[in-house]
Amino acid sequence: MTTKIAVFASGSGSNFQAIQQAIEDGKLDARIEIVVTDKPDAYVVKRAGNFNIAVFSFVAKQYASKADYEQEIIDTLKEHEVDWIILAGYMRLIGSTLLSAFSNRIVNIHPSLLPSFPGKDAIGQAMEHGVKVTGVTVHFVDEGMDTGPILSQAAVEVVDGDRSATEARIHAVEHELYTSTLQKLFKNEIKLVH
Ligand code: GRF
């Protein structure tokens, strides 16, 4: 059965596009029902429009609390009968309201080999630290910052002193790893240790 997903993004949306492309290429049995963004001007909104995919945008500061905007997101996702939330560059911590409504149904991609370099600018953190190998992690989302159970990882060699080349390598690996991991997850082919 085709899995109905929502993609949450705050920025460029290259992972959103890779997921949609994998769906169109028959590599991922899913359907992006809606894109959710906290940045109404983000490039991902334009990308979603190119594929005729619905967008729900919100501005967090227009709500009294995180629980309030997350409840509105939940109502929208329910209308679209969404099964899974796929975070792809969504720059907000998921709160308890969304976590309990989509328990074990929220996945994130992070540009490092977790538990190294969680949080913002993981690529910058890795380069600053001088590591030679970094990578990509796909994991379940819990209440922490990039702390949930790991679903898959891939290593990427740092290009010494060249952030943009390193970033390009990481993005290419992300696009491949995210779609293949989601396919296994939706087909129940991933076994977790924890
Ligand atoms: C990716 O590097 C992802 O790992 C991180 O945010 C970035 C989003 O990139 N969480 P894009 O918007 O999908 O191009």
Side-chain angles (χ1 to χ4, degrees):
M1 208 182 65
T2 301
T3 305
K4 296 180 176 181
I5 64 177
V7 175
F8 285 33
S10 306
S12 149
S14 73
N15 280 282
F16 153 76
Q17 177 136 352
I19 292 167
Q20 177 59 20
Q21 200 57 57
I23 291 170
E24 292 186 6
D25 294 346
K27 293 180 185 158
L28 175 59
D29 186 10
R31 201 184 124 85
I32 303 178
E33 297 293 334
I34 191 161
V35 167
V36 173
T37 187
D38 61 331
K39 298 271 184 263
D41 298 331
Y43 190 57
V44 69
V45 173
K46 186 166 180 358
R47 291 193 204 252
N50 292 340
F51 291 105
N52 276 320
I53 293 173
V55 175
F56 175 76
S57 325
F58 68 97
V59 175
K61 61 174 190 267
Q62 293 175 351
Y63 294 79
S65 67
K66 185 185 282 258
D68 281 1
Y69 71 70
E70 288 198 340
Q71 190 53 55
E72 201 167 317
I73 292 173
I74 291 165
D75 295 344
T76 307
L77 299 192
K78 293 257 143 90
E79 275 167 33
H80 287 262
E81 299 180 340
V82 165
D83 304 314
W84 287 82
I85 294 174
I86 310 304
L87 307 184
Y90 180 67
M91 298 305 284
R92 289 181 177 275
L93 212 52
I94 299 292
S96 54
T97 310
L98 256 174
L99 276 172
S100 48
F102 283 82
S103 170
N104 286 320
R105 289 279 185 283
I106 310 180
V107 181
N108 183 41
I109 187 160
H110 184 77
S112 78
L113 292 174
L114 290 171
S116 293
F117 312 124
K120 285 200 176 138
D121 192 21
I123 301 172
Q125 290 184 54
M127 296 200 64
E128 183 69 22
H129 202 91
V131 298
K132 302 299 176 198
V133 177
T134 182
V136 176
T137 302
V138 179
H139 65 95
F140 273 124
V141 172
D142 63 10
E143 59 290 336
M145 173 80 89
D146 304 319
T147 50
I150 291 172
L151 293 161
S152 66
Q153 291 186 303
V156 175
E157 269 188 54
V158 171
V159 184
D160 258 348
D162 191 339
R163 185 190 164 115
S164 61
T166 305
E167 226 167 58
R169 283 184 174 181
I170 287 180
H171 283 309
V173 170
E174 282 188 333
H175 299 160
E176 192 57 42
L177 188 72
Y178 216 0
T179 52
S180 59
T181 303
L182 291 177
Q183 175 69 350
K184 286 182 198 142
L185 186 64
F186 299 158
K187 298 282 164 223
N188 244 323
E189 289 169 12
I190 297 186
K191 298 279 166 280
L192 288 173
V193 176
H194 297 287

